[in-house]
Amino acid sequence: MAAADSPSAALRRRDLCSQGIRLAGKMRSDVVDLLDTYVEWQGLDASASVAAVEGVPAAAAERWDEQTGTQRLLENLAAYRAFRTLLAQMLEEQQEQL
């Protein structure tokens, strides 16, 4: 039996996926905390929706049961990259204003 087909290899892959999911959850929690702090310090309206940010693809969480793990990761990666670009633009604008 090839090593990639062994039960231990499948278990390692599952463990890596589980770890990735836990880390994504931690990232989300950290982002929520960061956003709450930012809103508070900037005196912004806390009721503003962050679920939809112009230029950032919507999360596909409601369709996760219909997607493969690869599809979910690719969609979330695209959203992350777009969000990262917007954050970099925001940082640049903030630096220019200071």
Side-chain angles (χ1 to χ4, degrees), residues 25-41 50:
K26 172 72 171 121
M27 284 176 38
R28 184 185 188 292
S29 173
D30 290 348
V31 167
V32 168
D33 291 344
L34 179 63
L35 179 62
D36 289 344
T37 302
Y38 179 80
V39 167
E40 180 182 330
W41 278 73
V50 296

Side-chain angles (χ1 to χ4, degrees), residues 28-97:
R28 184 185 188 292
S29 173
D30 290 348
V31 167
V32 168
D33 291 344
L34 179 63
L35 179 62
D36 289 344
T37 302
Y38 179 80
V39 167
E40 180 182 330
W41 278 73
Q42 294 296 323
L44 301 174
D45 181 8
S47 66
S49 173
V50 296
V53 176
E54 186 176 329
V56 176
E62 67 276 355
R63 297 188 327 255
W64 275 15
D65 58 338
E66 302 167 6
Q67 296 177 312
T68 67
T70 302
Q71 290 171 319
R72 289 190 298 249
L73 289 173
L74 288 174
E75 285 190 17
N76 288 327
L77 180 60
Y80 169 78
R81 286 179 174 162
F83 187 63
R84 184 175 151 208
T85 300
L86 289 174
L87 286 177
Q89 290 171 353
M90 183 188 305
L91 178 62
E92 186 176 311
E93 290 171 7
Q94 292 291 322
Q95 288 174 339
E96 288 173 2
Q97 290 178 9

